[in-house]
Amino acid sequence: MTIRIYAFSTMTMAALLCTPLAAQEQPDQTSEAEAEERREANETQAELAREQLEENAVAEAEYEEEIEEQSEELLDRASALRKYDEAVAAYEKAREEHAAAVAKWQADVAACEAGDHSRCGEPVAATPQ
């Protein structure tokens, strides 16, 4: 009896599996209203996508403009820094030259006072008071 039930069950399953389902027999048919609703949704989505692309293009242009402005500012800062560095270098050079001139003058005065008259400067006339 167990064998017969098993055989019957297997045959029933095979028959059910070979029979096409009701959904498979009928092609997918949508109503005109559903098709129109889908078209409207697609158009809405396409319009939103176009708007997004336009917004992206505007944002990209603004970004590029900002990058250009920042680049110009950086170049201006670099130029100002270069001028500052040149001014500092000129100041340092003038300071060193002054220090060297003062050191030479002090050495000349010391040599003159020690008797080396070749290093004495021209006498300065006293100014009346």
Side-chain angles (χ1 to χ4, degrees):
M1 190 120 182
T2 306
I3 296 175
R4 288 185 187 172
I5 294 175
Y6 176 74
F8 176 76
S9 296
T10 304
M11 291 175 154
T12 306
M13 291 284 276
L16 287 175
L17 289 175
C18 291
T19 306
L21 297 175
Q24 292 175 346
E25 290 177 3
Q26 300 174 357
D28 184 24
Q29 296 184 9
T30 57
S31 69
E32 188 62 34
E34 289 174 333
E36 182 60 29
E37 184 178 318
R38 189 177 320 114
R39 272 192 297 277
E40 288 176 6
N42 288 342
E43 287 174 12
T44 300
Q45 183 60 39
E47 181 60 30
L48 290 173
R50 278 190 293 277
E51 289 173 5
Q52 183 66 52
L53 289 173
E54 289 172 7
E55 290 173 8
N56 289 350
V58 168
E60 183 177 2
E62 290 172 352
Y63 171 78
E64 292 297 329
E65 184 178 327
E66 183 66 26
I67 291 294
E68 183 66 29
E69 288 175 9
Q70 288 181 5
S71 295
E72 290 173 7
E73 288 177 14
L74 285 174
L75 289 174
D76 291 345
R77 287 182 190 170
S79 177
L81 257 170
R82 193 171 28 261
K83 288 177 183 176
Y84 173 78
D85 289 343
E86 290 169 359
V88 167
Y91 169 76
E92 289 296 328
K93 182 179 177 188
R95 197 168 147 232
E96 289 171 4
E97 289 172 353
H98 175 70
V102 167
K104 182 182 179 313
W105 172 74
Q106 289 173 340
D108 288 343
V109 167
C112 179
E113 289 175 350
D116 184 0
H117 296 289
S118 66
R119 293 185 65 185
C120 294
E122 295 295 319
V124 179
T127 55
Q129 292 192 12

